Amino acid sequence: MNLAAPKPRGGGKVSRVLRIVVPIVLLGYLFTLVPPRELLTALSRLTLASLGTVAVVMTLSLAIMSLRWRLTMLACGVEKPASFLRLFRLYWVGTFYNAFVPGGLGGDVARALATQGLFGPRGMAASLSAVFLDRVLGLVGLFL
């Protein structure tokens, strides 16, 4: 079971270059929005304890979201979803793209692309539906 995004037609080298260049360009653009002095001042105020706390909370949060996504896939008719670790990794990737791609949906589309093969003939439409349902369940949980 391959959960990688489909390879673009026209060669893999372009795809590999884009996977490296696009995030670098996006991060570069973000650095133009924040004055370097302000960024350095903010970074100097961080403590090791606060960084560790954020890392632990973020990791636990993404682990819970990955489990919710796995359960959502089962509810949507996937007989054998991907392993928890694979979904956890995809959630990390999706979180990165949601944070840096305008609109906050790039990661959701990436997760749907990576898991469309699990839905058999229903493919991308079912995969996007499962990711959307996962998002809605997260929003409901937030409201509660």
Side-chain angles (χ1 to χ4, degrees), residues 115-129:
T115 58
Q116 67 182 336
L118 298 173
F119 289 87
R122 297 179 297 152
M124 187 62 174
S127 184
L128 277 171
S129 297

Side-chain angles (χ1 to χ4, degrees), residues 30-55:
L30 289 175
F31 284 125
T32 66
L33 299 176
V34 179
R37 185 172 296 252
E38 287 182 30
L39 181 62
L40 290 174
T41 301
L43 288 174
S44 70
R45 292 182 184 152
L46 291 175
T47 64
L48 193 55
S50 64
L51 286 174
T53 302
V54 167

